[in-house]
Amino acid sequence: MNLPIPLLPAVPLFAAMGALSTVLVNRNVSVFHDGLRPIMPSLRSGEMSRREVAKISFALALAFIWAFGLPYSVGFVIPLIYLIYIATDWIGVSLPADLERRWWQGGTNRAGILGSILLGGAWGAGLALALHFLARGMDSLPVPLAEGTRLFTEPVVQAFFLFPVLTICYHYGLKAGMWAFGLSTVVWFVATELELTRPSVWAFGAALLLMLVFLVREARASGSANDQVPAGWLEEPSAAGDAPAWATEDEDDDAEDESAMFARNVRRIKRNLPLIVVLAGLSGAAYNAGVVAMDPFSAHLYAVHLVVPAALVMLMWAFAFLPMKFTTAVVTGTMATGTFLEPVVALPMPNPYVAAAAVAVLRIVEVYCLLLVIGWIERWPNIREVADVMRTAIFQVMEIGFLVGGALAAAAWAGQWGVAAVVAAWFFNIKAKAPVMPMSLGAIAALGVGVVVNVFAAIGLNL
């Protein structure tokens, strides 16, 4: 992989993605941040002003950019897409728009679209330039830092097989989790004995397969239980026996109103499908070209040419987040800018052009399957429950793994003192009134160590 990201195709791709994503946010069509999407209907209805929504978006953007997106995007690594889309969320909601009229109707809308294209495109292009030259500058320091940034994610790359293991442990119990860990360990040792590449990948596959077995068994048991319950038992009887007709009618009306609202929201998304598809295609090309990634450890795997493992990691992310992203899309009428499935499809493709076409088709399928997937989730609620648990498992492995990775990088730059500094930062962060996100602390502390050793090196003091 050619790192840092090359100016071509990074600059034009980032610019196009920034411009189009800002336009879609400005028109309330597609939003990246999961915390911002639920309040977009309030903006559309006028319950919240653009100033209020922009303030919330800025707070979300600032936290994710400096505390997660940036630390894992500097140096000789593939930068995270958060840096583009989190910022364009804020730019888009900050610019004016009259959502009661078409985008080309009225000066307000034309100004909003033009501003979105210019500011979003400038952010994307400027970001690509900044990351490229920042990495070059880090590599030219007295104590070079660019190469060491790859160590941030190395422990998680080795331990990502724990994602399904911890999911099994948290959802199905300690005994099941220990069995999953034992099976993964055996597979790891066998893979090592057979001299297979990346034993952690094979351990991950074994744990994932076991998790799927547990999930299917739970879903079948739940379905069988529902099938065995007589239809009348599912109804709540009144004191007089049967429920009054007016109560049943109200419940039916509420369900019909909700279904009608969901269908109306999906139709709204479909009306804007062409631009949504174009943005998905641009993202697919960027993933395949290796100029952007959805998460730090799939980026690490892809950078060392482990394409299938990188796609498997993203498949886990997709399983963990897709129920939430699809649900918020249906409830709000605002599509998620990414669903984590895009890299799964894009990474194995032979070139960026094929990846763009494949991800564009994927986005069409996703939009047309929104209601179908929501129906599946309602039918098998254990899927949503396991997905929620998996998000917790992923974040906890990231917290510990990235802390160890930060210590490894700090040790490469500053020896034993660097490790001590990262450990100290962890405890200082616990006491801080405004603590850093735990999964970002290792990288931030290590970068701080890098700055310190370079300042000392500049004045003649070396560790």
Side-chain angles (χ1 to χ4, degrees):
M1 188 67 65
N2 185 18
L3 292 170
I5 55 170
L7 296 181
L8 289 175
V11 171
L13 270 175
F14 278 38
M17 292 161 64
L20 185 52
S21 62
T22 307
V23 169
L24 292 176
V25 175
N26 180 254
R27 298 303 301 168
N28 212 311
V29 172
S30 177
V31 167
F32 182 78
H33 199 290
D34 297 320
L36 183 62
R37 202 174 309 117
I39 66 176
M40 296 306 281
S42 298
L43 175 62
R44 196 158 60 237
S45 66
E47 295 177 17
M48 295 183 68
S49 67
R50 284 198 168 265
R51 182 184 295 273
E52 293 172 324
V53 176
K55 185 177 180 180
I56 295 172
S57 180
F58 181 81
L60 295 172
L62 187 63
F64 263 82
I65 285 176
W66 84 266
F68 184 69
L70 191 58
Y72 296 106
S73 299
V74 298
F76 287 173
V77 296
I78 301 176
L80 301 185
I81 203 167
Y82 296 95
L83 291 179
I84 303 175
Y85 289 153
I86 288 287
T88 57
D89 278 356
W90 173 68
I91 297 171
V93 297
S94 300
L95 293 170
D98 181 1
L99 300 178
E100 297 298 322
R101 309 176 72 179
R102 297 300 184 100
W103 64 270
W104 64 84
Q105 294 176 338
T108 298
N109 282 340
R110 286 193 290 270
I113 294 296
L114 180 60
S116 296
I117 294 172
L118 294 177
L119 295 178
W123 170 260
L127 180 64
L129 290 167
L131 291 175
H132 176 88
F133 289 110
L134 178 61
R136 292 298 184 197
M138 291 172 66
D139 197 41
S140 302
L141 293 171
V143 179
L145 303 181
E147 187 69 33
T149 56
R150 296 181 181 182
L151 295 173
F152 292 166
T153 53
E154 182 64 36
V156 178
V157 170
Q158 300 300 332
F160 77 94
F161 78 96
L162 294 176
F163 295 166
V165 170
L166 293 185
T167 301
I168 291 172
C169 183
Y170 293 160
H171 190 69
Y172 297 106
L174 177 61
K175 185 177 180 180
M178 293 180 68
W179 274 106
F181 183 77
L183 174 63
S184 300
T185 300
V186 171
V187 170
W188 185 303
F189 276 76
V190 171
T192 302
E193 182 66 25
L194 297 176
E195 298 183 352
L196 299 176
T197 304
R198 293 279 180 174
S200 60
V201 175
W202 298 94
F204 169 82
L208 178 61
L209 182 61
L210 185 60
M211 189 196 77
L212 292 176
V213 170
F214 279 118
L215 182 60
V216 170
R217 287 181 58 188
E218 183 183 9
R220 291 182 63 183
S222 176
S224 300
N226 289 337
D227 291 341
Q228 293 170 5
V229 178
W233 292 14
L234 297 177
E235 300 173 0
E236 187 70 25
S238 67
D242 294 332
W246 57 266
T248 305
E249 290 172 0
D250 284 347
E251 291 176 1
D252 291 341
D253 289 343
D254 290 342
E256 290 176 2
D257 290 344
E258 187 177 76
S259 298
M261 180 190 71
F262 290 168
R264 186 167 59 251
N265 287 339
V266 172
R267 285 196 299 271
R268 182 180 188 276
I269 293 172
K270 289 179 179 178
R271 285 198 301 270
N272 297 281
L273 189 56
L275 289 181
I276 294 175
V277 168
V278 172
L279 180 59
L282 291 171
S283 299
Y287 290 131
N288 184 269
V291 296
V292 78
M294 196 68 132
D295 80 293
F297 36 96
S298 70
H300 183 121
L301 291 167
Y302 193 58
V304 295
H305 307 289
L306 295 176
V307 178
V308 173
L312 286 175
V313 167
M314 293 315 307
L315 189 61
M316 290 288 289
W317 278 96
F319 180 84
F321 280 87
L322 203 143
M324 178 180 65
K325 289 181 179 292
F326 272 36
T327 299
T328 55
V330 169
V331 171
T332 66
T334 301
M335 187 62 184
T337 301
T339 62
F340 289 101
L341 281 176
E342 293 83 0
V344 177
V345 172
L347 297 185
M349 293 297 117
N351 59 62
Y353 302 102
V354 177
V359 173
V361 172
L362 170 68
R363 183 49 49 88
I364 294 172
V365 173
E366 286 177 337
V367 169
Y368 276 89
C369 288
L370 282 171
L371 291 175
L372 181 62
V373 172
I374 295 302
W376 287 343
I377 294 172
E378 291 299 322
R379 183 177 179 184
W380 292 296
N382 60 301
I383 294 177
R384 187 194 301 275
E385 293 169 4
V386 173
D388 292 342
V389 171
M390 184 176 291
R391 289 200 297 274
T392 300
I394 289 174
F395 289 143
Q396 289 186 345
V397 174
M398 287 168 63
E399 288 178 10
I400 298 174
F402 289 160
L403 180 68
V404 175
L408 291 176
W413 300 329
Q416 297 177 355
W417 177 83
V419 176
V422 171
V423 174
W426 175 268
F427 290 103
F428 293 154
N429 194 57
I430 294 174
K431 284 292 187 180
K433 293 182 179 179
V436 174
M437 294 169 60
M439 64 182 175
S440 304
L441 180 66
I444 292 174
L447 290 171
V449 168
V451 172
V452 170
V453 295
N454 273 284
V455 170
F456 284 161
I459 61 177
L461 296 176
N462 295 289
L463 290 173

